[in-house]
Short mmCIF file of all heavy atoms in Angstrom, two decimals:
data_model
loop_
_atom_site.label_atom_id
_atom_site.label_comp_id
_atom_site.label_asym_id
_atom_site.label_seq_id
_atom_site.Cartn_x
_atom_site.Cartn_y
_atom_site.Cartn_z
N VAL P 70 0.19 7.77 -8.05
CA VAL P 70 0.84 8.64 -7.07
C VAL P 70 -0.20 9.57 -6.47
O VAL P 70 -0.18 9.88 -5.27
CB VAL P 70 2.01 9.41 -7.72
CG1 VAL P 70 2.56 10.48 -6.80
CG2 VAL P 70 3.10 8.45 -8.15
N GLU P 71 -1.16 10.00 -7.28
CA GLU P 71 -2.25 10.85 -6.77
C GLU P 71 -3.07 10.10 -5.71
O GLU P 71 -3.48 10.69 -4.71
CB GLU P 71 -3.14 11.34 -7.91
CG GLU P 71 -4.12 12.41 -7.50
CD GLU P 71 -3.45 13.68 -6.97
OE1 GLU P 71 -2.33 14.03 -7.39
OE2 GLU P 71 -4.07 14.33 -6.11
N LEU P 73 -1.91 7.87 -3.68
CA LEU P 73 -1.09 7.87 -2.47
C LEU P 73 -1.15 9.24 -1.78
O LEU P 73 -1.24 9.30 -0.55
CB LEU P 73 0.35 7.50 -2.80
CG LEU P 73 0.57 6.07 -3.31
CD1 LEU P 73 2.02 5.87 -3.73
CD2 LEU P 73 0.15 5.05 -2.27
N ARG P 74 -1.11 10.29 -2.56
CA ARG P 74 -1.23 11.64 -1.96
C ARG P 74 -2.57 11.82 -1.29
O ARG P 74 -2.68 12.43 -0.21
CB ARG P 74 -1.01 12.70 -3.04
CG ARG P 74 0.41 12.83 -3.47
CD ARG P 74 0.61 14.03 -4.41
NE ARG P 74 1.99 14.13 -4.81
CZ ARG P 74 2.43 13.95 -6.05
NH1 ARG P 74 1.59 13.70 -7.03
NH2 ARG P 74 3.71 14.04 -6.31
N LEU P 77 -2.59 9.89 1.98
CA LEU P 77 -1.77 10.64 2.94
C LEU P 77 -2.58 11.80 3.52
O LEU P 77 -2.59 12.00 4.75
CB LEU P 77 -0.51 11.15 2.26
CG LEU P 77 0.42 12.05 3.09
CD1 LEU P 77 0.95 11.30 4.31
CD2 LEU P 77 1.56 12.57 2.23
N ALA P 121 5.14 5.66 5.59
CA ALA P 121 5.39 4.89 4.37
C ALA P 121 5.16 5.74 3.13
O ALA P 121 5.98 5.73 2.19
CB ALA P 121 4.51 3.64 4.33
N ILE P 122 4.06 6.47 3.10
CA ILE P 122 3.77 7.28 1.91
C ILE P 122 4.77 8.43 1.79
O ILE P 122 5.22 8.75 0.68
CB ILE P 122 2.31 7.78 1.91
CG1 ILE P 122 1.36 6.57 1.79
CG2 ILE P 122 2.07 8.78 0.78
CD1 ILE P 122 -0.10 6.91 1.93
N ASN P 123 5.12 9.05 2.89
CA ASN P 123 6.14 10.11 2.83
C ASN P 123 7.46 9.59 2.30
O ASN P 123 8.13 10.26 1.50
CB ASN P 123 6.33 10.78 4.20
CG ASN P 123 5.28 11.82 4.49
OD1 ASN P 123 4.77 12.47 3.60
ND2 ASN P 123 4.94 11.98 5.76
N ARG P 124 7.84 8.38 2.71
CA ARG P 124 9.07 7.76 2.22
C ARG P 124 8.99 7.52 0.71
O ARG P 124 9.94 7.79 -0.04
CB ARG P 124 9.31 6.44 2.96
CG ARG P 124 10.63 5.77 2.63
CD ARG P 124 10.84 4.48 3.42
NE ARG P 124 9.84 3.48 3.09
CZ ARG P 124 8.88 3.04 3.90
NH1 ARG P 124 8.78 3.46 5.14
NH2 ARG P 124 8.01 2.12 3.50
N ILE P 125 7.84 7.06 0.23
CA ILE P 125 7.64 6.82 -1.20
C ILE P 125 7.69 8.13 -1.98
O ILE P 125 8.38 8.24 -2.99
CB ILE P 125 6.30 6.09 -1.44
CG1 ILE P 125 6.37 4.67 -0.90
CG2 ILE P 125 5.95 6.09 -2.94
CD1 ILE P 125 5.01 3.99 -0.76
N LEU P 126 6.96 9.14 -1.51
CA LEU P 126 6.88 10.41 -2.22
C LEU P 126 8.20 11.18 -2.23
O LEU P 126 8.40 12.05 -3.09
CB LEU P 126 5.76 11.28 -1.64
CG LEU P 126 4.34 10.73 -1.80
CD1 LEU P 126 3.34 11.65 -1.13
CD2 LEU P 126 3.99 10.50 -3.26
N ALA P 127 9.10 10.83 -1.33
CA ALA P 127 10.40 11.50 -1.27
C ALA P 127 11.37 10.99 -2.33
O ALA P 127 12.39 11.62 -2.59
CB ALA P 127 11.01 11.33 0.14
N MET P 128 11.05 9.87 -2.97
CA MET P 128 11.98 9.31 -3.96
C MET P 128 11.62 9.79 -5.37
O MET P 128 10.55 10.34 -5.59
CB MET P 128 11.98 7.79 -3.89
CG MET P 128 10.65 7.11 -4.19
SD MET P 128 10.70 5.33 -4.00
CE MET P 128 11.05 4.81 -5.66
N ASP P 129 12.53 9.57 -6.28
CA ASP P 129 12.28 9.88 -7.69
C ASP P 129 11.34 8.79 -8.21
O ASP P 129 11.72 7.63 -8.32
CB ASP P 129 13.60 9.88 -8.46
CG ASP P 129 13.42 10.14 -9.95
OD1 ASP P 129 12.27 10.39 -10.40
OD2 ASP P 129 14.42 10.09 -10.67
N LEU P 130 10.13 9.17 -8.55
CA LEU P 130 9.11 8.18 -8.94
C LEU P 130 9.03 7.95 -10.44
O LEU P 130 8.18 7.17 -10.89
CB LEU P 130 7.73 8.64 -8.41
CG LEU P 130 7.65 8.73 -6.88
CD1 LEU P 130 6.32 9.33 -6.46
CD2 LEU P 130 7.85 7.37 -6.25
#
Side-chain angles (χ1 to χ4, degrees):
V70 171
E71 190 61 30
L73 295 175
R74 287 188 180 114
L77 176 62
I122 294 174
N123 278 329
R124 186 179 63 248
I125 291 165
L126 295 178
M128 61 183 266
D129 178 4
L130 298 174

